[in-house]
């Protein structure tokens, strides 16, 4: 078991550019990351209720899913609190349950923790800064239409 930690640099709607990085540390650090720009955000703007939460969940799913192994825990920086955290968790659980069906990665534990309580979240934070400054490669404006469309059909 390991921790897959996720952090963001920038916020959807508030910032034209947002970086999201997931890391998994077991002997060495593996990472995946996404950079989205304003045009990407605008493609999803107001498509459905809670579109921002659904987009975060989709991007978190996309960055963490390739790193996730059976019994891993996902820790997300506690920038997300209250209803937003509850919505993001619920949408991520739906995505893992649907798109990982038939695997042992359908129900990961998802936690929201501040950096001061989670070394993996601190490492993810450092990696988002590396991504923001171009020190590590991340994918730009990935295709998440299938996952986002699935969430728009949920009640």
């Amino acid at each position: 078991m390991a921790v897959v930690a996720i952090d963001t640099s920038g916020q959807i709607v508030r910032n034209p550019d947002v970086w999201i990085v997931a890391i998994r540390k077991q002997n060495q650090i593996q990472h995946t990351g996404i950079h989205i720009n304003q045009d990407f955000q605008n493609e999803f703007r107001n498509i459905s209720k809670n579109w921002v939460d659904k987009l975060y969940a989709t991007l978190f799913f996309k960055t963490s899913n390739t790193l996730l192994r059976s019994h891993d825990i996902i820790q997300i920086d506690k920038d997300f609190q209250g209803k937003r955290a509850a919505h993001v968790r619920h949408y991520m659980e739906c995505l893992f349950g649907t798109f990982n069906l038939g695997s042992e990665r359908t129900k990961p534990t998802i936690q929201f923790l501040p950096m001061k309580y989670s070394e993996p979240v601190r490492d993810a934070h450092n990696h988002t800064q590396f991504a923001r400054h171009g020190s590590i490669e991340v994918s730009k404006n990935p295709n998440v239409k299938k996952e986002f469309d699935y969430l728009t059909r949920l009640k």
Side-chain angles (χ1 to χ4, degrees):
M1 178 191 80
V3 172
V4 175
I6 303 170
D7 187 54
T8 63
S9 179
Q11 295 178 19
I12 293 173
V13 179
R14 289 188 182 172
N15 301 108
D17 291 287
V18 179
W19 288 263
I20 298 170
V21 173
I23 64 146
R24 183 175 194 273
K25 188 176 182 179
Q26 197 169 41
N27 297 331
Q28 63 182 28
I29 291 182
Q30 298 172 290
H31 77 274
T32 58
I34 291 173
H35 168 224
I36 62 169
N37 62 21
Q38 191 70 56
D39 291 338
F40 181 90
Q41 294 179 49
N42 290 339
E43 289 178 36
F44 300 95
R45 187 178 299 273
N46 300 321
I47 285 180
S48 75
K49 182 180 178 189
N50 297 330
W51 74 272
V52 172
D53 299 343
K54 290 175 182 176
L55 187 54
Y56 272 122
T58 301
L59 295 169
F60 290 170
F61 169 77
K62 201 74 162 175
T63 56
S64 63
N65 196 38
T66 57
L67 300 176
L68 189 70
R69 304 289 174 261
S70 177
H71 307 295
D72 281 357
I73 294 170
I74 296 174
Q75 293 181 347
I76 302 169
D77 186 19
K78 198 178 179 167
D79 291 341
F80 300 88
Q81 299 178 21
K83 285 185 181 180
R84 172 143 292 156
H87 289 157
V88 168
R89 176 184 286 117
H90 170 71
Y91 297 140
M92 286 179 73
E93 288 169 347
C94 292
L95 290 169
F96 281 109
T98 299
F99 289 94
N100 289 349
L101 194 62
S103 76
E104 294 183 353
R105 300 176 305 132
T106 57
K107 292 187 178 189
T109 300
I110 300 170
Q111 304 170 332
F112 292 85
L113 293 173
M115 282 192 298
K116 68 180 179 179
Y117 296 124
S118 172
E119 181 181 342
V121 171
R122 281 193 300 278
D123 290 339
H125 172 78
N126 291 336
H127 277 70
T128 58
Q129 298 309 306
F130 296 151
R132 182 179 201 97
H133 299 292
S135 302
I136 60 172
E137 280 192 41
V138 295
S139 62
K140 184 160 184 169
N141 300 328
N143 184 350
V144 296
K145 185 171 176 15
K146 179 174 57 174
E147 295 88 349
F148 188 85
D149 286 350
Y150 169 75
L151 292 180
T152 62
R153 294 189 299 271
L154 296 178
K155 298 272 179 206

